[in-house]
Amino acid sequence: MVARLVAAGHDVSVLGRSDEKRSTIAELGADAVDEIAAVGAAADVVVICVFTDEQVREICLTDGLTAAMPSGSALVLHTTGSPHTVETIAERAAPDDVDVVDAPVSGGPHNAAAGELTLFVGGADHTVARVRPVLSCYGDPILHVGPLGAGQKVKLVNNALFAAHLGLLASSVELAARLGVEESALLTALPHGSAASRVLDIVAAGGSVASFIETAGEFVGKDVAVVRRIAAELGSDLGTLDDAIDAAIPGVR
């Protein structure tokens, strides 16, 4: 993402917490800084893409990122998390005249390198239009799905469904084994039938359900935990998705 922003001609500053990271950032052509405030001090747009919702809250609320950003700037939150976090950060940023959009990403490093990350974007029309040239450096499609927080809600539903697909596929592999069909043969054949899906293609490319879950299970499990918590706060659950998810990633509650 940093490389594509630099290649597009943007002046990019990136937080690096170690000498190694700062060296890598410099090699990409960006300015490596070692303090949160230095990231936003002169930025038109600040982009956050870290691992957890808690890290986003720490950066924005505890470490004071929005307070360090110039009046009239915009903050883009790429980390998948709670819509409540987005709303809290936007409320904190409003007195400083900093606009906020949530734009959780779908895709991996190869999608970022190709400029083809899917972005589910929530925010005011004028703010989304303003940050779209930045997002377009690494995002395509950029899907404006509603007001602030809507991007997170769509991404959480997406990830719950993705996890349920994994669970259904894991159960299907078990059924095939009982019928005497090897997993490799099943994963080779199913993409050509009516059961084909993007999840199936991804898992088939990795060779097995177990290997994919070993690689990506932590990421998927993190997001499943968030969507389950939010559904519970609203007095609901994930319905039939819950049982399917448990078949792939048990114990995430």
Side-chain angles (χ1 to χ4, degrees):
M1 292 167 69
V2 171
R4 291 193 64 88
L5 286 166
V6 171
H10 295 286
D11 293 326
V12 183
S13 295
V14 184
L15 178 67
R17 296 188 181 274
S18 68
D19 290 339
E20 180 184 3
K21 294 298 184 183
R22 288 190 289 272
S23 176
T24 300
I25 291 165
E27 290 173 2
L28 294 173
D31 181 25
V33 299
D34 57 7
E35 295 182 355
I36 292 289
V39 174
D44 295 319
V45 178
V46 174
V47 174
I48 296 180
C49 192
V50 291
F51 185 57
T52 67
D53 199 49
E54 290 72 20
Q55 289 171 340
V56 173
R57 295 180 68 90
E58 179 182 349
I59 291 167
C60 294
L61 303 178
T62 304
D63 294 343
L65 172 64
T66 57
M69 293 173 60
S71 175
S73 57
L75 175 64
V76 178
L77 306 176
H78 280 320
T79 302
T80 300
S82 170
H84 298 317
T85 294
V86 175
E87 293 163 359
T88 299
I89 291 171
E91 290 172 2
R92 183 75 64 87
D96 298 315
D97 194 26
V98 173
D99 291 327
V100 179
V101 301
D102 56 307
V105 304
S106 182
H110 61 289
N111 301 111
E116 296 175 350
L117 287 172
T118 296
L119 304 180
F120 302 114
V121 183
D125 290 348
H126 70 278
T127 308
V128 174
R130 181 175 153 209
V131 301
R132 188 178 287 272
V134 172
L135 302 184
S136 65
C137 293
Y138 47 80
D140 184 20
I142 299 169
L143 305 169
H144 187 189
V145 295
L148 188 71
Q152 294 290 3
K153 294 172 184 177
V154 170
K155 180 65 189 311
L156 291 169
V157 172
N158 174 85
N159 286 12
L161 183 56
F162 181 85
H165 279 180
L166 284 176
L168 291 174
L169 188 53
S171 296
S172 299
V173 168
E174 292 175 2
L175 172 61
R178 293 196 297 272
L179 297 175
V181 178
E182 294 184 359
E183 182 176 9
S184 58
L186 184 73
L187 295 180
T188 299
L190 287 183
H192 301 282
S194 58
S197 70
R198 180 174 292 185
V199 175
L200 176 56
D201 290 341
I202 293 171
V203 171
S208 72
V209 175
S211 64
F212 178 82
I213 293 175
E214 181 179 356
T215 301
E218 183 180 5
F219 289 90
V220 178
K222 169 184 71 75
D223 295 337
V224 167
V226 172
V227 72
R228 279 177 164 159
R229 184 175 72 246
I230 292 170
E233 290 171 358
L234 298 175
S236 184
D237 56 29
L238 305 189
T240 57
L241 294 176
D242 267 327
D243 292 336
I245 291 170
D246 286 339
I249 309 175
V252 180
R253 293 286 178 177

